[in-house]
Amino acid sequence: MLMWPFTRRKVQERADENLADGLISALLQSKEITRDEAMQIPSFAGCVNKICDTVSIIPIGLYRKSEDGNTEEIQKDDRVRLINDDTGDTLDGASFKRAIIFDYLTNKGGYAYVNRVGQRFISLNYVDADRISLREGTDPIFKDFKIMVNSVEYEPYRFLRVLRRTKNGAFGPSIIKENNLALDTAYRSLKFESKLTKRGGNKKGFLENR
């Protein structure tokens, strides 16, 4: 009977050690975090959504420099209408800009097909960055690339590209890729805390000595 409290204490200490080891193991097993996993981190998702929502409501203008050196806004241009109001696609202007900026931040870039006939712009069609494949040339000086969508090859000028920190004009690193370790650690910590909460804070069957 006298040994029971001590035995119970040892069991509890082993349980605490197992929980600590589980946390350390989870944090050390770093991998490349996906966009869906990163968006489950509240602080990261909040910042991304805030930027996307802010940019989506900002009107984009088209300007040119006049002969006297002054800058003047171009009125009633199809390009301004397409990007701000009616894209000619299933997305309106705000939804289009939000989708482009979301891919700009979390993927290799934002892409939209410029549908034109001659000098007339018909529509601006957003394309999910996950559906975009790039075929790069090998020359580091005279850089060139082709854009592939559903195995169909397009010239780069047929696409509007919004890229961050690009070195080739084809794609750029996402915020998720640049901050993989920090985001992966935060995501694994959330998963570990979620498991603890579901178990009531401790593994079932262990007693706590008070």
Side-chain angles (χ1 to χ4, degrees):
M1 297 294 294
L2 292 177
M3 293 298 294
W4 167 248
F6 300 98
T7 303
R8 184 171 56 181
R9 181 177 300 173
K10 289 182 179 180
V11 171
Q12 178 59 37
E13 289 175 353
R14 285 197 296 269
D16 293 339
E17 289 176 359
N18 290 335
L19 290 173
D21 291 342
L23 175 59
I24 294 173
S25 177
L27 295 180
L28 290 179
Q29 293 176 1
S30 179
K31 65 178 183 63
E32 187 170 347
I33 188 172
T34 66
R35 178 176 58 184
D36 292 339
E37 290 172 342
M39 289 301 292
Q40 293 183 42
I41 303 172
S43 57
F44 178 80
C47 291
V48 169
N49 288 328
K50 179 65 175 179
I51 295 173
C52 292
D53 292 341
T54 300
V55 174
S56 68
I57 61 175
I58 296 177
I60 296 178
L62 186 63
Y63 299 86
R64 65 185 172 193
K65 185 171 290 187
S66 59
E67 295 180 356
D68 56 6
N70 294 325
T71 301
E72 59 181 7
E73 184 175 2
I74 300 177
Q75 302 289 341
K76 297 181 179 180
D77 190 283
D78 286 340
R79 291 168 290 182
V80 176
R81 174 182 58 81
L82 289 175
I83 202 168
N84 287 324
D85 301 316
D86 182 10
T87 64
D89 195 11
T90 56
L91 300 178
D92 58 22
S95 299
F96 170 82
K97 285 181 282 188
R98 193 186 193 288
I100 287 288
I101 297 303
F102 182 75
D103 285 351
Y104 164 83
L105 295 172
T106 64
N107 213 314
K108 56 180 170 281
Y111 299 84
Y113 178 75
V114 180
N115 183 20
R116 58 186 294 181
V117 177
Q119 297 299 316
R120 183 187 175 193
F121 294 88
I122 307 301
S123 63
L124 197 56
N125 302 81
Y126 162 77
V127 181
D128 192 328
D130 289 334
R131 306 293 296 272
I132 295 286
S133 299
L134 300 164
R135 186 168 64 83
E136 294 184 82
T138 58
D139 194 322
I141 299 177
F142 302 102
K143 294 177 287 295
D144 188 24
F145 65 93
K146 305 296 182 183
I147 296 178
M148 308 284 293
V149 181
N150 290 343
S151 301
V152 179
E153 185 176 281
Y154 297 89
E155 294 293 334
Y157 68 84
R158 300 304 301 267
F159 275 79
L160 169 68
R161 306 184 303 279
V162 183
L163 312 174
R164 63 182 303 273
R165 297 187 58 185
T166 182
K167 293 183 178 180
N168 54 14
F171 63 88
S174 68
I175 291 180
I176 297 174
K177 186 174 183 178
E178 286 186 334
N179 300 275
N180 181 75
L181 179 59
L183 291 174
D184 184 54
T185 301
Y187 175 71
R188 288 180 176 273
S189 298
L190 286 174
K191 286 190 66 177
F192 185 79
E193 292 173 6
S194 175
K195 290 181 179 179
L196 285 182
T197 302
K198 292 178 180 178
R199 292 172 179 171
N202 254 334
K203 292 184 177 180
K204 295 180 179 180
F206 288 94
L207 301 176
E208 182 177 356
N209 185 28
R210 295 183 180 276

